[in-house]
């Protein structure tokens, strides 16, 4: 009986010494992650692991630890993503405009425009064909490799 009591006491003491340090952080997708090693390049919070209180004892809430600030790399990455997204949106809008202009050029053989003097003039067939080939080249060069 005494051996059993000694084994249980040593087992309970050993569990409190086996508690390791844990870290909490939020990944790029906004999901909370937990691990024993802190992440590099992002904010994390150290979680204090405390052994369970003795029977009849009181639970104490640990004081929150401040976040470690390593936001410069994360901010730079986020800004770079925003800029890439803005460029992609501009490229998409420009390609859509070229497609619309090409459709107009192909479907309307009698096109007119207003010149600098404010006079309406008709676009000739040679110029129309030139504008069509230029629009097709622009689409091939700039819009064929869009995601």
């Amino acid at each position: 009986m005494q051996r059993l009591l000694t084994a249980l006491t040593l087992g309970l003491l050993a569990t409190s010494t086996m508690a390791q340090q844990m870290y909490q952080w939020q990944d790029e997708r906004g999901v909370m992650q937990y691990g024993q090693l802190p992440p590099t390049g992002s904010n994390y919070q150290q979680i204090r692991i405390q052994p369970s209180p003795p029977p009849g004892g009181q639970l104490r809430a640990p004081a929150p630890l401040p976040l470690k600030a390593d936001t410069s790399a994360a901010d730079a990455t986020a800004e770079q993503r925003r800029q890439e997204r803005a460029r992609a949106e501009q490229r998409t809008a420009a390609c859509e405009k070229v497609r619309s202009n090409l459709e107009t050029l192909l479907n309307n053989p009698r096109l007119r425009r207003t010149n600098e003097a404010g006079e309406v003039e008709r676009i000739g067939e040679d110029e129309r064909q030139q504008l069509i080939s230029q629009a097709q080249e622009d689409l091939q060069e700039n819009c064929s490799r869009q995601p």
Side-chain angles (χ1 to χ4, degrees), residues 121-134:
E121 60 183 12
R122 185 171 182 267
I123 296 175
E125 185 61 27
D126 293 337
E127 186 178 358
R128 178 177 162 260
Q129 290 301 322
Q130 185 181 16
L131 290 171
I132 289 172
S133 64
Q134 181 63 42

Side-chain angles (χ1 to χ4, degrees), residues 7-131:
L8 285 174
T9 304
L10 289 175
L12 289 174
L13 291 174
T15 57
S16 65
T17 60
M18 291 179 64
Q20 295 181 0
Q21 188 58 50
M22 293 293 290
Y23 299 93
Q24 172 186 2
W25 67 93
Q26 199 169 30
D27 67 5
E28 301 85 30
R29 295 174 290 176
V31 178
M32 291 305 279
Q33 300 288 329
Y34 299 89
Q36 293 178 347
L37 298 173
T40 56
S42 65
N43 293 337
Y44 62 90
Q45 186 174 17
Q46 186 177 6
I47 300 174
R48 291 185 184 162
I49 299 176
Q50 295 180 351
S52 59
Q58 294 181 357
L59 290 176
R60 286 185 263 156
L65 296 173
L67 292 176
K68 304 277 182 174
D70 186 14
T71 59
S72 59
D75 289 345
T77 304
E79 181 63 29
Q80 185 178 6
R81 285 187 197 141
R82 269 187 243 116
Q83 289 176 354
E84 288 173 5
R85 223 177 290 127
R87 281 188 290 241
E89 289 173 2
Q90 288 175 346
R91 188 172 43 247
T92 302
C95 289
E96 197 57 42
K97 184 171 181 164
V98 170
R99 283 187 188 100
S100 173
N101 289 345
L102 178 61
E103 186 177 333
T104 301
L105 288 167
L106 290 172
N107 295 332
N108 299 315
R110 297 183 188 174
L111 294 173
R112 294 176 283 160
R113 67 173 167 218
T114 305
N115 62 17
E116 295 170 1
E119 300 169 343
V120 177
E121 60 183 12
R122 185 171 182 267
I123 296 175
E125 185 61 27
D126 293 337
E127 186 178 358
R128 178 177 162 260
Q129 290 301 322
Q130 185 181 16
L131 290 171

